[in-house]
Amino acid sequence: MTIPEGAQLARGIRRHSGEFRKLCEGLDEETASRAPGDRWSPKQVVSHLCGPEGSGFMPSFRAILDQDNPRLDIEVDNPFFTGKRTSMTMAGLLAEFESEYGRLAELVEGLTSEQLDRKVHIPILKGTPLGEHTTLAGWIEALSEYHLVFHIDHMKEILEELGVKS
């Protein structure tokens, strides 16, 4: 029996978000708030992975499901560390992170092949293997297999620079 594509993508989201969460466990507030050099602090990395404050990534997925070939303009260098998030604890940010990726995995798990094949225009992806015109499945895979994995490695580097053993 083959596993439906949505279920496979959801597994990747859960696996990588779990790995990221584990990496951050037990990080004290002082360390989580420090930024080595010109890099983001651990709290800023978590905030970035949560997406825009108050909405996260779900509106972009809804747009892809509800519109024909919507354009998504991605803010790759935005930590979304504003407003409420600047005063949140690391535990609070991680809870938001877990909630965001849990909702995302749940949504993805139930998507049909037709929904996963819906097109989206993401100009920032021009010049990547996905290209700027990709499918919802391609975008989900990029978020999980590239973006989350990139920030797992990013967090490891930051923690090492801060003197935290992982």
Side-chain angles (χ1 to χ4, degrees), residues 2-142:
T2 61
I3 299 170
E5 186 178 11
Q8 288 178 337
L9 291 167
R11 279 184 182 178
I13 293 167
R14 289 186 179 107
R15 181 178 65 252
H16 295 306
S17 62
E19 183 180 347
F20 182 83
R21 169 78 170 139
K22 186 174 181 178
L23 185 61
C24 297
E25 282 179 0
L27 204 55
D28 65 75
E29 285 302 311
E30 181 183 336
T31 303
S33 298
R34 288 181 25 227
D38 60 352
R39 303 189 79 172
W40 288 349
S41 71
K43 287 173 81 170
Q44 287 174 305
V45 175
V46 177
S47 178
H48 170 78
L49 288 172
C50 290
E53 185 179 330
S55 64
F57 294 112
M58 293 308 274
S60 65
F61 288 95
R62 286 282 159 220
I64 297 166
L65 292 168
D66 296 342
Q67 300 170 29
D68 289 330
N69 200 28
R71 177 185 170 120
L72 295 184
D73 291 308
I74 308 300
E75 299 178 64
V76 295
D77 293 327
N78 189 342
F80 305 110
F81 198 59
T82 59
K84 177 179 93 171
R85 287 189 184 156
T86 59
S87 61
M88 289 176 73
T89 64
M90 182 65 160
L93 283 168
L94 285 170
E96 186 175 328
F97 168 81
E98 285 182 329
S99 178
E100 180 70 20
Y101 285 85
R103 283 191 312 271
L104 180 56
E106 190 174 303
L107 171 73
V108 168
E109 196 165 42
L111 295 177
T112 65
S113 294
E114 292 78 23
Q115 289 171 312
L116 290 167
D117 285 340
R118 291 187 61 81
K119 292 289 191 176
V120 58
H121 178 207
I122 308 173
I124 196 78
L125 296 179
K126 185 177 183 174
T128 71
L130 277 179
E132 67 182 295
H133 297 279
T134 189
T135 62
L136 176 55
W139 177 230
I140 293 165
E141 189 170 14

